[in-house]
Amino acid sequence: MSLPTTFAIALPDWFDDWLADQPERFPAPEDRMRAAVELSRLNVERGTGGPFGALVTDERGRLVAAGVNRVEPDSCSSAHGEIVALSLAQARLGTYDLSQHGALELATSCEPCAMCLGAIPWSGIKRVLCGASKTDAEVTGFDEGERIEDWTGMLKRRGIEVVTGLLQDEAAAVLRDYARRGSRIYNAG
C-alpha cells in the first residue's frame, strides 16, 4: 500500500499580482484589515476558495505572510485563511514560535473558528485583528464550531490582544456575496 507522505497548500495564481501592488507597510490596523478583506474578496471573485483572508505583519506593519481559504481547492479542511497565513509566516521565519520575531499580528477577515482559535496561542502571535463576526459567518451558513464565550479574554490571559469588529461591514459583505453567488458552504452545520 502507498500512502501520501507530504502535502502542500499553495496560494492562488493571482496572489503574486496582489502582492506586487501592496505597500511596503500597512501602518494602521484599518490598513491591515482592509488588506485581509481584499484577499477574501479576491478569493471569492476569482473562485479560488472560501471567503476568508488573513495576513501576518510585524510591529511596524510590514507584511510577513498572507493567506486565503484553500479548503476546497486543496481538499484540506485545515486550509483556513488564518492557518495558511500563520503557516507561511512560520515557514518564512523558520520557526513554529512567531514570538521569537517580536510582537507579530494576525489580521483576519473574520473572527476565528474553533480550529483557528486553537492555533493562535500556539503560533506565538501577540495581537489579533478581526473583521466579520462569528455570527456574520454563521448567518451565511458556515459552521464555525464551538468557542468558549469569553474567547477574547482567554487570549488576553495568554498575552494576546484582540480587536474585533474592525471594518466589520466590509468583511461581512464578502461573506454575503459568497453566499449570494451560490458558492458552496463546505462545512454547513
Side-chain angles (χ1 to χ4, degrees):
M1 169 176 26
S2 176
L3 295 175
T5 59
T6 187
F7 75 96
I9 303 298
L11 291 175
D13 293 341
W14 54 261
F15 180 80
D16 287 336
D17 291 336
W18 175 84
L19 186 58
D21 289 338
Q22 300 312 302
E24 181 180 321
R25 290 179 55 238
F26 298 90
E30 293 81 6
D31 298 327
R32 297 186 288 278
M33 182 54 63
R34 198 167 287 109
V37 171
E38 181 181 18
L39 285 168
S40 70
R41 182 184 55 75
L42 288 169
N43 213 33
V44 170
E45 289 176 356
R46 309 251 171 123
T48 52
F52 305 96
L55 58 139
V56 175
T57 55
D58 71 10
E59 295 168 80
R60 298 180 64 204
R62 291 179 301 210
L63 185 63
V64 175
V68 293
N69 180 285
R70 299 291 292 165
V71 169
E72 285 196 320
D74 289 327
S75 298
C76 182
S77 63
S78 63
H80 290 199
E82 299 97 323
I83 300 296
V84 172
L86 291 170
S87 298
L88 290 170
Q90 291 164 337
R92 178 178 181 189
L93 298 175
T95 180
Y96 63 88
D97 182 2
L98 296 174
S99 69
Q100 294 178 2
H101 292 273
L104 300 187
E105 176 184 88
L106 174 69
T108 175
S109 65
C110 188
E111 291 177 355
C113 69
M115 176 183 65
C116 295
L117 178 60
I120 289 169
W122 289 338
S123 71
I125 286 292
K126 293 299 177 189
R127 186 172 192 224
V128 180
L129 304 176
C130 305
S133 70
K134 178 181 190 249
T135 301
D136 293 327
E138 290 174 340
V139 165
T140 305
F142 284 96
D143 177 357
E144 296 295 280
E146 298 295 322
R147 274 191 332 208
I148 65 167
E149 188 172 327
D150 186 25
W151 67 276
T152 58
M154 180 269 296
L155 290 177
K156 185 176 180 178
R157 288 187 292 279
R158 296 184 72 130
I160 302 167
E161 179 187 351
V162 179
V163 176
T164 60
L166 192 59
L167 303 180
Q168 182 174 354
D169 292 341
E170 293 91 332
V174 176
L175 295 166
R176 290 189 303 273
D177 182 45
Y178 183 81
R180 210 174 9 259
R181 290 170 182 258
S183 301
R184 184 166 180 235
I185 307 293
Y186 51 81
N187 69 338

